[in-house]
């Protein structure tokens, strides 16, 4: 069987797709479109259908920026309230005529990044702040650190998300990032922390030895792991 997997990364600013072969290697270049505004379910699904139209695949993995339970989107802080309680896996599966699995976007990114050794924490720096936790490669799903209080009465996402970077500038954002890393090290005592997401390109500070910046493409490469049984 040489099944091809379409992996989809739904973000607050862009929707990205890639097709992976059975071994998880890309068979086409990454394709991207802007996230429609407002980012309501039907509008986002239409963009996914457009991106899928010229590609060959047998199954679909979706990374979504919210809590996911059995393919249903339970939260969507940076998209639209209409997503709450929406059966994304089922809806997309009917529209594409292919099996679909959905997971939190940071969880998918982590699956494409971790080594499988010890306690590994992943954070993603994009529109929002995503997080994922692994023990020996096993995912503890739907860790929502982003909305947890960090400092000055603000959450990690309020201090380190896209809006904070734009509003407060790179210097403050980088200082906060180091404070967040220290805080997360004390909380999780992780062996390795991975940092992914589009805003990693703005990191200008030296990071501790057990912290690694991972390429944004891991968000899509992790999609193959959803089909490992
Ligand atoms: C959401 C998370 C998501 C993160 C990154 C947060 O606002 O609550 O589920 O992983 O943004 O997209």
């Amino acid at each position: 069987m040489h099944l091809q997997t379409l992996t989809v990364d739904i973000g607050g600013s862009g929707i990205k797709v890639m097709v992976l072969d059975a071994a998880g290697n890309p068979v086409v270049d990454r394709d991207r479109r802007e996230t429609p505004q407002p980012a309501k379910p039907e509008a986002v699904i239409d963009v996914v259908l457009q991106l899928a139209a010229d590609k060959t695949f047998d199954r679909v993995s979706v990374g979504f920026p919210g809590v996911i339970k059995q393919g249903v989107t339970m939260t969507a802080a940076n998209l639209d309230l209409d997503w709450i309680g929406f059966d994304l896996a089922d809806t997309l599966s009917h529209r594409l005529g292919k099996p679909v699995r959905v997971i939190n976007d940071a969880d998918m990114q982590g699956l494409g990044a971790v080594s499988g050794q010890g306690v590994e924490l992943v954070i993603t720096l994009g529109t929002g702040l995503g997080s994922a936790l692994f023990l020996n490669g096993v995912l503890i799903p739907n860790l929502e650190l982003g909305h947890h209080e960090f400092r000055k009465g603000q959450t990690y996402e309020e201090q380190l998300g896209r809006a904070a970077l734009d509003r407060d500038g790179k210097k403050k954002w980088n200082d906060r990032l180091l404070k967040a890393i220290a805080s997360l090290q004390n909380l999780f005592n992780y062996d390795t922390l991975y940092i992914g997401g589009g805003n990693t390109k703005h990191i200008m500070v030296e990071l501790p030895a057990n912290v690694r910046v991972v390429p944004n493409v891991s968000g899509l490469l992790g999609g193959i792991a959803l089909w490992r049984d």
Side-chain angles (χ1 to χ4, degrees):
M1 291 273 269
H2 297 289
L3 294 180
Q4 298 208 134
T5 307
L6 179 78
T7 61
V8 183
D9 182 9
I10 298 176
S13 61
I15 298 174
K16 293 136 261 174
V17 302
M18 204 177 228
V19 178
L20 305 177
D21 67 14
N25 298 311
V27 296
V28 294
D29 285 343
R30 191 186 89 143
D31 205 352
R32 179 190 191 279
R33 298 226 175 152
E34 294 293 308
T35 304
Q37 303 298 340
K40 290 190 180 289
E42 274 313 315
V44 168
I45 285 171
D46 279 350
V47 173
V48 175
L49 296 179
Q50 288 162 24
L51 283 162
D54 62 346
K55 297 176 183 68
T56 307
F57 56 91
D58 307 285
R59 58 194 186 183
V60 183
S61 299
V62 182
F64 182 88
V67 173
I68 307 298
K69 296 274 182 184
Q70 282 87 38
V72 176
T73 57
M74 309 302 288
T75 69
N78 294 304
L79 293 181
D80 190 276
L81 288 174
D82 283 4
W83 283 99
I84 295 171
F86 185 84
D87 196 336
L88 178 55
D90 193 58
T91 308
L92 202 53
S93 173
H94 277 100
R95 299 288 293 274
L96 288 168
K98 304 277 192 263
V100 175
R101 292 187 180 172
V102 183
I103 189 172
N104 170 266
D105 56 353
D107 287 352
M108 190 153 103
Q109 175 110 25
L111 287 166
V114 296
S115 72
Q117 274 153 33
V119 176
E120 296 179 281
L121 182 68
V122 180
I123 59 170
T124 64
L125 302 172
T127 308
L129 187 141
S131 53
L133 185 62
F134 294 82
L135 175 59
N136 295 331
V138 177
L139 171 70
I140 292 106
N142 294 313
L143 179 72
E144 284 283 327
L145 265 181
H147 305 294
H148 201 73
E149 188 167 336
F150 169 35
R151 59 193 284 271
K152 299 193 169 176
Q154 291 196 316
T155 63
Y156 284 92
E157 183 162 303
E158 285 167 333
Q159 287 255 304
L160 285 164
R162 176 85 235 176
L165 177 61
D166 291 345
R167 186 187 56 235
D168 301 327
K170 281 190 197 179
K171 165 87 177 69
K172 273 198 178 156
W173 185 86
N174 273 271
D175 290 348
R176 287 175 191 167
L177 179 61
L178 287 181
K179 290 191 174 108
I181 290 170
S183 160
L184 296 174
Q185 174 74 73
N186 284 334
L187 178 60
F188 290 97
N189 294 295
Y190 52 73
D191 296 298
T192 312
L193 170 68
Y194 300 87
I195 309 183
N199 289 340
T200 51
K201 59 177 178 288
H202 301 298
I203 298 178
M204 299 177 311
V205 282
E206 198 181 325
L207 301 173
N210 62 347
V211 179
R212 281 184 214 146
V213 173
V214 294
N216 212 11
V217 73
S218 359
L220 289 163
L221 296 178
I224 197 72
L226 275 59
W227 300 92
R228 258 184 236 139
D229 284 317

